[in-house]
Amino acid sequence: MKNNYASPEDLRWKCYKCNIFLSVGPATLIYMGNKIKAQLPVCPQCGFVFISEELALGKMAEVEQILEDK
Ligand SMILES: [Zn+2]
């Protein structure tokens, strides 16, 4: 199971609140009532998790698949 959903492009983003670059770290998402732990770009200061459009559209389908396989 691949848990790293961060791509290098995501790390060019800054937190809109703190104005510092995001770093990849473990984050917990709630998706369809399930807690999913994944490596995602997060703000080291406030914990904001950045979810790119690609992740939202593409990777969530993968996650759904993972959940169905359980
Ligand atoms: Zn922040």
Side-chain angles (χ1 to χ4, degrees):
M1 174 171 157
K2 190 169 150 255
N3 252 355
N4 187 353
Y5 294 118
S7 62
E9 296 84 59
D10 292 335
L11 298 179
R12 290 189 306 228
W13 291 84
K14 281 180 173 179
C15 176
Y16 68 99
K17 270 200 284 188
C18 313
N19 200 35
I20 55 176
F21 283 107
L22 304 177
S23 63
V24 175
T28 304
L29 298 173
I30 309 286
Y31 181 66
M32 290 173 70
N34 293 280
K35 278 191 183 174
I36 298 154
K37 286 192 180 147
Q39 296 290 314
L40 291 168
V42 293
C43 173
Q45 192 162 304
C46 71
F48 169 78
V49 180
F50 175 77
I51 299 170
S52 65
E53 197 176 330
E54 184 204 357
L55 175 65
L57 296 178
K59 302 289 186 180
M60 279 306 176
E62 270 180 43
V63 169
E64 231 170 295
Q65 191 63 48
I66 289 162
L67 293 174
E68 281 170 13
D69 288 350
K70 250 198 270 184

